[in-house]
């Protein structure tokens, strides 16, 4: 039986992604503001005849659970709408990543009230509608620098002392993807910034995916086909990004009880600027579900988050803190990207602090950037 | 016309990609979709003072785009066939048919295009814009109950059409 709703939403997502790809919003805006004659509707052009395909696109999802990943990462091929392309915003140095300017008077739900909520300076805004979340894609470089990817402008912005905008010249259009029509690919997703500040993009489709490693200059270094099983969860390790297969059932991606799984295949290796495979010398946190809770290891340190369940679909995400601790995001409900998750701070002295936050991008100081009212804000645990 | 440039710029950046998507769904043509979105927003710019006072500016934008799409298709049809088609009963009836499909999701949009005009438009707004019944009603200027009934009818027909497509593929 055809599920019209599922199919309709899926096809609409593809269409919106295509629209974002073809819409040259800034050029169109300039044309209107400059008073140029708006491009006349071409009445001589006949209706196009797009191909009717013979294959039905599989309704699969790419499950993304990746450190320093995308805001609202559980969204499937989220439509990414460019935020402002004004003069680059000045953001403080990397060790603080983004500092505060305005303390929010009354932090509304859904985060723990003891978390300090601050707007970013300058503000980073999102586009939100019932159909799309247009927050920028964020990742964190090994040195803690916040990096933003704007898929519409095809730029990476490195929020260093002075923001540095780098045009991405690597081909992220995925035009060779054989999907529902010629030239289509899902919007590229910035998955991680690896060693040597190499950015790793995922080009996603229901049938196929590619990882593209992009140099700090914006040029392509390597391109990998990605794992054979698209239904998998991604996680960075010392070797690269691994894909842990999972079983999708009832909108959930259920995997094993260990992150990363010992036999998880490598989806894409870390590479240096020459494209040679390398291993990251930095430690990566790992987690394992036990009868008493979740064990977390990071370098020489270990924690036991007692009583925290590991329920198949509720695998935690673990992120390194710059002080040697770990941040764990744990979604016990998996009811969607808008649902609050547990933020568990595993401090170097063994202390464990628990909070509730929306999903977001974890920073090395233990804070998290989330979307709130069409704007990205930062939640910082008390010190 | 006094234009709040910052306000218009924000509106443009927010709405342009979405209008391109709607145009793409309605016309199946990338260039037309971009033209429609730009022209729609240019009209908002040219009548900014009135636009700002509008109770439902998003719905206004979409109505303009839909009407432009209808006009464009009608003109194209008349030029190509040298036959002036009958005036459509409602604004959706003049939209391109199944011979004009977006470059993505061809099978789905073929089924959508085969729907009667009102159902086609309601389904498009429901999925592409992710609009609620009330929002669709505002754009189409019809009652909420009519939207619900229209969507229900459209879904039934789509289920049948998509099942037939699957059977045909084997």
């Amino acid at each position: 039986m055809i599920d019209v709703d599922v199919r309709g939403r899926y096809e609409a997502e593809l269409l919106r992604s295509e629209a974002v790809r073809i819409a040259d919003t800034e050029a169109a805006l300039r044309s209107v503001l400059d008073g140029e004659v708006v491009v006349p509707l071409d009445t001589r052009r006949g209706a196009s005849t797009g191909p009717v395909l013979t294959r039905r696109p599989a309704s699969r999802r790419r499950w993304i659970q990746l450190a320093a990943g995308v805001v609202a990462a559980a969204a499937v091929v989220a439509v990414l709408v460019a935020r402002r392309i004004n003069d680059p915003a000045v953001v403080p140095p990397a060790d603080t990543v983004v500092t505060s300017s305005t303390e929010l008077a009354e932090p509304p739900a859904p985060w723990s009230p003891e978390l300090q909520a601050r707007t970013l300076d300058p503000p980073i805004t999102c586009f939100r509608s019932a159909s799309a979340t247009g927050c920028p894609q964020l990742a964190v470089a090994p040195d803690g620098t916040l990096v933003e990817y704007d898929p519409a402008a095809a730029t990476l912005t490195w929020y260093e002392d002075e923001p540095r905008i780098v045009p991405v010249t690597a081909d992220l259009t995925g035009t060779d993807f054989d999907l529902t029509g010629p030239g289509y690919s899902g919007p590229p997703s910035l998955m991680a910034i690896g060693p040597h500040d190499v950015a790793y993009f995922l080009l996603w489709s229901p049938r196929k995916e590619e990882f593209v490693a992009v140099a700090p200059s914006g040029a392509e270094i390597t391109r990998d086909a990605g794992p054979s099983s698209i239904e998998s969860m991604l996680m960075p390790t010392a070797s690269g990004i691994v894909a842990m297969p999972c079983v999708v059932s009832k909108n959930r991606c259920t995997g094993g009880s260990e992150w990363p799984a010992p036999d998880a295949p490598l989806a894409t290796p870390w590479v240096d600027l020459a494209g040679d495979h390398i291993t990251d010398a930095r430690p990566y946190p790992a987690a394992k579900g036990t009868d008493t809770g979740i064990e977390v290891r990071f370098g020489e340190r270990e924690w036991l988050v007692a009583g925290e369940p590991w329920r198949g679909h509720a695998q935690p995400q673990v992120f390194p803190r710059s002080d040697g601790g770990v941040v764990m995001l744990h979604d016990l409900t998996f009811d969607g990207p808008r649902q609050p998750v547990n933020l568990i701070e595993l401090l170097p002295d063994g202390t464990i602090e628990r909070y509730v936050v929306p999903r977001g991008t974890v920073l090395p100081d233990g804070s998290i950037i989330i979307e709130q009212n069409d704007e990205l804000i930062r939640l910082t645990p008390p010190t | 016309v006094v234009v709040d440039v910052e306000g218009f710029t924000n509106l443009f950046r927010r709405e342009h990609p979405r209008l391109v998507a709607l145009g793409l769904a309605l016309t199946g043509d990338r260039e037309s979709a971009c033209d429609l979105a730009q022209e729609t927003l240019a009209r908002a710019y040219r009548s900014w003072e009135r636009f700002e006072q509008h109770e439902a500016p998003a719905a206004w934008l979409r109505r303009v785009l839909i009407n432009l799409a209808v006009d464009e298709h009608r003109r194209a049809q008349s030029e190509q066939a040298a036959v002036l088609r009958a005036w459509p009963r409602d604004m959706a009836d003049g939209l391109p048919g199944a011979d004009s499909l977006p470059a993505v999701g061809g099978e789905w949009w073929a089924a959508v295009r085969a729907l009667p005009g009102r159902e086609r438009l309601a389904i498009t707004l429901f999925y592409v814009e992710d609009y609620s019944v009330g929002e669709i009603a505002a754009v189409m200027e019809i009652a909420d109950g009519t939207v619900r009934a229209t969507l229900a009818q459209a879904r039934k027909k789509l289920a049948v059409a998509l099942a037939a497509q699957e059977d045909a593929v084997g």
Side-chain angles (χ1 to χ4, degrees):
Chain A
M1 184 63 187
I2 300 292
D3 189 330
V4 172
D5 257 334
V6 170
R7 181 73 183 274
R9 293 186 193 287
Y10 171 75
E11 297 291 358
E13 280 180 345
L14 295 182
L15 191 81
R16 289 192 294 265
S17 300
E18 172 77 350
V20 169
R21 195 176 70 78
I22 66 174
D24 192 347
T25 298
E26 293 304 311
L29 174 61
R30 281 195 299 275
S31 294
V32 175
L33 290 178
D34 292 345
E36 296 172 10
V37 176
V38 174
V39 178
L41 298 174
D42 186 355
T43 59
R44 292 166 300 176
R45 184 172 55 236
S48 69
T49 52
V52 177
L53 300 165
T54 56
R55 288 191 296 170
R56 184 174 66 86
S59 180
R60 288 187 173 180
R61 294 183 170 207
R62 160 39 99 186
W63 297 84
I64 299 170
Q65 294 199 12
L66 182 61
V70 182
V71 172
V76 182
V77 196
V79 175
L80 300 163
V81 180
R83 74 177 180 92
R84 80 285 178 271
I85 310 177
N86 296 334
D87 292 335
V90 177
V91 171
D95 57 346
T96 52
V97 184
V98 180
T99 56
S100 60
S101 65
T102 306
E103 188 159 356
L104 302 181
E106 294 182 13
W111 61 75
S112 300
E114 56 267 43
L115 294 172
Q116 186 181 55
R118 292 174 183 271
T119 57
L120 306 185
D121 182 17
I124 299 179
T125 56
C126 310
F127 160 60
R128 172 166 297 288
S129 73
S131 61
T133 299
C135 288
Q137 296 186 37
L138 301 177
V140 180
D143 68 353
T145 301
L146 185 68
V147 182
E148 174 193 345
Y149 174 59
D150 180 339
T155 56
L156 282 169
T157 300
W158 298 72
Y159 286 103
E160 298 165 340
D161 291 345
E162 291 292 331
R164 181 167 52 87
I165 300 177
V166 178
V168 177
T169 56
D171 179 10
L172 301 180
T173 59
T175 52
D176 59 334
F177 278 32
D178 178 19
L179 297 173
T180 56
Y184 174 75
S185 71
S189 295
L190 174 61
M191 301 305 296
I193 306 292
H196 303 288
D197 285 346
V198 173
Y200 293 83
F201 287 89
L202 174 66
L203 307 184
W204 179 92
S205 84
R207 288 188 231 283
K208 179 183 174 184
E209 64 184 8
E210 286 182 346
F211 284 93
V212 181
V214 174
S217 66
E220 176 176 327
I221 303 174
T222 58
R223 187 176 291 259
D224 279 323
S228 57
S229 171
I230 286 177
E231 288 171 352
S232 57
M233 293 177 283
L234 302 173
M235 185 179 182
T237 68
S239 304
I241 299 173
V242 298
M244 286 173 287
C246 63
V247 176
V248 176
S249 175
K250 295 183 180 178
N251 210 28
R252 291 166 177 170
C253 190
T254 301
S257 61
E258 195 168 355
W259 280 72
D263 56 350
L266 195 60
T268 190
W270 301 132
V271 295
D272 61 18
L273 299 183
D276 294 326
H277 296 189
I278 58 173
T279 299
D280 194 347
R282 298 174 303 160
Y284 281 77
K288 182 179 182 181
T290 70
D291 292 339
T292 54
I294 296 177
E295 292 177 357
V296 178
R297 302 182 307 280
F298 183 44
E300 300 298 317
R301 292 191 172 93
E302 292 186 6
W303 296 262
L304 173 62
V305 186
E308 191 75 6
W310 186 304
R311 291 192 198 124
H313 64 270
Q315 301 93 336
Q317 295 171 265
V318 283
F319 306 86
R321 285 173 54 116
S322 55
D323 61 3
V326 171
V327 177
M328 185 162 81
L329 283 184
H330 200 188
D331 180 356
L332 291 174
T333 62
F334 214 98
D335 284 336
R338 308 294 299 163
Q339 293 301 310
V341 298
N342 291 341
L343 173 74
I344 303 173
E345 300 273 353
L346 310 176
L347 304 178
D349 64 1
T351 307
I352 297 176
E353 304 286 351
R354 293 169 179 266
Y355 309 96
V356 173
V357 296
R359 284 183 180 277
T361 301
V362 172
L363 301 179
D365 68 350
S367 62
I368 182 169
I369 294 179
I370 66 159
E371 181 271 328
Q372 176 73 9
N373 297 331
D374 299 339
E375 187 175 2
L376 297 187
I377 66 170
R378 183 180 188 179
L379 302 178
T380 306
T383 55
Chain B
V1 177
V2 177
V3 177
D4 169 16
V5 173
E6 185 179 355
F8 175 76
T9 299
N10 291 337
L11 170 83
F12 198 103
R13 287 178 174 147
R14 185 175 66 247
E15 292 286 2
H16 183 257
R18 299 187 59 189
L19 292 173
V20 170
L22 181 58
L24 198 55
L26 295 177
T27 69
D29 184 84
R30 294 174 179 175
E31 290 183 49
S32 289
C34 292
D35 291 354
L36 288 167
Q38 186 173 343
E39 172 63 18
T40 298
L41 287 161
R43 292 189 180 202
Y45 184 78
R46 291 198 290 265
S47 57
W48 182 253
E49 288 174 341
R50 279 185 290 130
F51 178 81
E52 269 195 317
Q53 303 301 320
H54 208 286
E55 285 184 4
W60 182 89
L61 288 172
R62 280 146 187 84
R63 275 202 300 276
V64 169
L65 186 141
I66 292 163
N67 286 326
L68 286 172
V70 171
D71 289 345
E72 181 194 23
H73 185 63
R74 190 180 299 133
R75 281 196 299 267
Q77 279 187 320
S78 64
E79 285 189 4
Q80 287 172 3
V83 174
L84 190 61
R85 300 293 179 92
W87 197 258
R89 284 171 297 169
D90 62 40
M91 62 183 180
D93 279 338
L95 291 170
D99 60 341
S100 175
L101 301 173
V104 295
E107 291 170 339
W108 164 263
W109 294 110
V112 171
R113 295 296 173 77
L115 296 171
R118 180 177 282 183
E119 294 176 9
R120 186 191 334 163
L121 186 53
I123 279 288
T124 300
L125 290 168
F126 185 81
Y127 288 115
V128 175
E129 293 285 353
D130 211 0
Y131 267 2
S132 66
V133 167
E135 289 169 319
I136 295 170
V139 173
M140 297 178 66
E141 298 183 309
I142 56 178
D144 287 8
T146 306
V147 173
R148 287 193 194 89
T150 303
L151 287 172
Q153 281 294 327
R155 283 200 193 92
K156 284 182 187 172
K157 293 175 184 174
L158 284 173
V160 172
L162 294 171
Q165 284 180 0
E166 276 202 340
D167 291 342
V169 172

